[in-house]
Amino acid sequence: MIESTEDQGHNNKILRLPTIKRLPTYLHILKRLKSEGEEYVSTTALINELDFKPILVRKDLVLMGIPGKPRTGYCLDDLIKAIESFLGWNKVDKAFLVGTGALGSALLGHKPFEENGLKIVAGFDVDPARVGKTIHGKKIYHLSELKELARRMDIKVGIITVPWQSAQEVADVLIEAGIKGIWNFSMLKLKTPPDVVCHNENLASGLAVFSVKLQQQQNLI
Amino acid sequence: MIESTEDQGHNNKILRLPTIKRLPTYLHILKRLKSEGEEYVSTTALINELDFKPILVRKDLVLMGIPGKPRTGYCLDDLIKAIESFLGWNKVDKAFLVGTGALGSALLGHKPFEENGLKIVAGFDVDPARVGKTIHGKKIYHLSELKELARRMDIKVGIITVPWQSAQEVADVLIEAGIKGIWNFSMLKLKTPPDVVCHNENLASGLAVFSVKLQQQQNLI
DNA sequence: TAGATTGTTAATCGATTAACAATC
DNA sequence: TAGATTGTTAATCGATTAACAATC
């Protein structure tokens, strides 16, 4: 037991990106099965709704740290709880969103975020035509009010949905306001201090893959 | 030269997902540099705006099939054209979008798609409150009109932004209408015939990675 | 010429897949 | 018991990184 694996259940959360990205898909199916009255689920049942290889699913589930029973599979409730806890989706993070254009507005009203531990409590913009309005039930404030509101509401997470030209500027405001995690939907790589986590989302990547697939198909005709 | 590489320029488009996902990021920076008056770009200049390793960028660019000059780098115009052509972003695909909720509305107004060869020409829904309206300048029709319109406008691409419960139903309508490529934003894995390309986008995956990063950071405090 | 950069070939790393023993 | 399923250990595969020769 030298340099042991220090695995205290599922709480060590070794970052394995491919697995983490697949977890929401599993979770979605598990919840569906539960709502259909199932109590146990096997990997073979899971992959019916999926196109992953069974062994891949099993490897992923092992990381959740809950034991499966041969012949029956995993207890649905336990597995759901384990995944939610692994992802931190059992606790709620309150977040501010900056940039209420098409994409920002969508995220303000995107139910799955709220159901999965990310509660966007307010939007921010600099456009006077938007400030003061309400989008999907969320009030829009002027960016200049962000710092004060973040402190008062103890907000630690920010979402950036502004064009790349103003993304760094917005990030600086968020950092200055004490935000510790930024989900960045702009195309700009942000400069952030080491104590601020920054995750870049890239919708264009998805379009790129889709475009190439479309082309390949068209070339076959 | 047995079993030769059959590389006719960049037109073979070997599907290398990680590279394809990085291309839009390169493209974005290249266009910026061009607008700033640059004519040539080296990988070292590119990675200033990025956090990839230089060798990774070089490997990716080699796949674009255009030669770089030692000491100067790549001709910006050539590189931009090569990437756009690789991705098929130099030609326009017209698309229909089904499901005009928060996410669907956002995509209807998402400029970057239109700038990158995916022109959403109309939206569809079954909600009478939405049919007939205009979102971001795009007319919303009833789903029952899709088939007829698709044939008339020769639409071959569909985007699904409905809840998972109705996703398969919508996919069936699209397939029936002769659509050959589906970009699926729902959580359901769609059943499609082999001649229809389907690409699944999963916003929840991004949230999952972000959530885990947030947690890891909070655990450090 | 010296030095920066490209592009190729080899080495490493990490993720997926396969094989199989353990278990109910 | 027989058979399905878990979970571990080893093998394969593919992507990233390193090393280095070629080039301007």
Side-chain angles (χ1 to χ4, degrees):
Chain A
M1 268 292 222
I2 307 144
E3 61 112 3
S4 89
T5 52
E6 319 215 1
D7 272 65
Q8 309 290 351
H10 53 260
N11 236 9
N12 59 324
K13 257 145 260 183
I14 299 151
L15 193 68
R16 304 219 330 187
L17 247 54
T19 297
I20 293 169
K21 287 184 184 163
R22 285 188 291 265
L23 290 176
T25 309
Y26 300 145
L27 189 57
H28 182 252
I29 297 170
L30 295 172
K31 284 181 175 171
R32 226 166 80 201
L33 291 172
K34 188 184 166 174
S35 77
E36 287 163 8
E38 301 290 334
E39 278 189 63
Y40 286 85
V41 64
S42 67
T43 52
T44 34
L46 256 177
I47 56 152
N48 280 340
E49 318 285 330
L50 232 48
D51 36 27
F52 307 148
K53 298 257 160 63
I55 176 66
L56 187 64
V57 176
R58 219 148 66 226
K59 270 272 169 89
D60 285 341
L61 296 190
V62 164
L63 293 175
M64 298 300 102
I66 66 150
K69 285 188 204 149
R71 290 260 318 142
T72 20
Y74 302 88
C75 170
L76 252 181
D77 278 331
D78 291 354
L79 192 48
I80 289 173
K81 268 190 213 123
I83 295 177
E84 286 183 333
S85 136
F86 186 95
L87 293 173
W89 286 3
N90 51 347
K91 333 184 248 273
V92 175
D93 278 309
K94 288 180 293 176
F96 279 171
L97 177 144
V98 187
T100 59
L103 182 61
S105 303
L107 300 189
L108 281 172
H110 197 54
K111 299 264 166 51
F113 291 170
E114 192 136 351
E115 287 157 17
N116 294 321
L118 189 71
K119 190 172 158 65
I120 307 178
V121 292
F124 292 84
D125 210 298
V126 289
D127 182 347
R130 289 167 175 171
V131 172
K133 294 248 163 63
T134 292
I135 301 179
H136 296 298
K138 315 277 167 70
K139 189 85 182 284
I140 311 304
Y141 298 91
H142 193 275
L143 184 59
S144 59
E145 301 176 79
L146 190 145
K147 189 174 168 183
E148 166 64 11
L149 281 170
R151 293 206 193 280
R152 225 157 63 196
M153 303 175 74
D154 191 37
I155 303 292
K156 296 287 173 232
V157 176
I159 303 172
I160 297 182
T161 46
V162 297
W164 66 269
Q165 288 89 341
S166 34
Q168 183 61 54
E169 204 181 320
V170 168
D172 293 342
V173 171
L174 289 170
I175 293 160
E176 165 74 8
I179 258 73
K180 294 299 174 203
I182 296 178
W183 198 4
N184 174 30
F185 284 79
S186 87
M187 289 292 279
L188 192 76
K189 187 204 147 200
L190 301 174
K191 292 181 191 71
T192 51
D195 66 321
V196 173
V197 166
C198 185
H199 180 59
N200 298 307
E201 197 71 33
N202 194 344
L203 274 182
S205 285
L207 177 60
V209 175
F210 183 52
S211 301
V212 171
K213 283 187 181 179
L214 280 178
Q215 267 193 104
Q216 289 189 318
Q217 183 211 42
Q218 284 159 8
N219 288 342
L220 290 181
I221 298 167
Chain B
M1 268 293 222
I2 306 142
E3 62 109 7
S4 89
T5 53
E6 318 215 0
D7 271 67
Q8 309 289 353
H10 53 260
N11 237 11
N12 59 324
K13 258 146 259 182
I14 299 151
L15 195 68
R16 303 219 329 188
L17 247 55
T19 297
I20 293 169
K21 287 184 184 161
R22 286 188 291 265
L23 290 176
T25 309
Y26 300 145
L27 190 57
H28 181 254
I29 298 170
L30 295 172
K31 283 181 174 171
R32 224 166 81 201
L33 291 173
K34 189 185 163 170
S35 77
E36 288 164 8
E38 301 290 332
E39 277 189 61
Y40 285 86
V41 63
S42 67
T43 53
T44 34
L46 257 177
I47 56 153
N48 280 339
E49 318 285 329
L50 234 47
D51 36 28
F52 307 148
K53 298 259 160 65
I55 177 67
L56 187 65
V57 176
R58 219 146 67 226
K59 269 273 170 86
D60 286 342
L61 295 189
V62 164
L63 293 174
M64 298 301 102
I66 65 150
K69 286 188 205 150
R71 288 261 319 141
T72 20
Y74 302 87
C75 170
L76 252 182
D77 279 328
D78 290 356
L79 192 49
I80 289 173
K81 266 189 215 127
I83 295 177
E84 284 183 334
S85 138
F86 186 96
L87 293 173
W89 286 4
N90 50 346
K91 332 185 250 276
V92 174
D93 277 309
K94 288 180 293 177
F96 279 171
L97 178 144
V98 186
T100 58
L103 182 61
S105 302
L107 300 190
L108 281 173
H110 198 53
K111 299 266 168 52
F113 291 171
E114 191 136 349
E115 287 158 16
N116 294 320
L118 189 71
K119 189 175 160 65
I120 308 177
V121 293
F124 292 83
D125 210 298
V126 289
D127 182 346
R130 288 167 176 173
V131 172
K133 294 250 163 63
T134 293
I135 300 179
H136 296 298
K138 314 275 168 71
K139 190 83 181 285
I140 311 304
Y141 298 90
H142 193 276
L143 184 59
S144 59
E145 301 177 79
L146 190 145
K147 189 173 168 186
E148 166 64 10
L149 281 170
R151 291 203 196 281
R152 227 159 61 199
M153 302 176 75
D154 191 36
I155 304 291
K156 295 288 172 230
V157 176
I159 303 172
I160 297 182
T161 46
V162 298
W164 67 268
Q165 288 90 341
S166 33
Q168 183 62 55
E169 203 181 322
V170 167
D172 293 342
V173 171
L174 289 170
I175 293 160
E176 165 74 9
I179 258 73
K180 294 301 173 201
I182 295 178
W183 198 4
N184 174 31
F185 283 79
S186 87
M187 289 291 280
L188 191 76
K189 187 204 147 197
L190 302 175
K191 292 181 192 72
T192 51
D195 67 320
V196 173
V197 166
C198 185
H199 179 60
N200 298 308
E201 198 70 33
N202 194 342
L203 273 182
S205 285
L207 178 60
V209 175
F210 184 50
S211 302
V212 171
K213 282 187 181 180
L214 279 178
Q215 267 193 106
Q216 290 190 316
Q217 183 211 44
Q218 284 159 10
N219 288 342
L220 290 182
I221 298 166

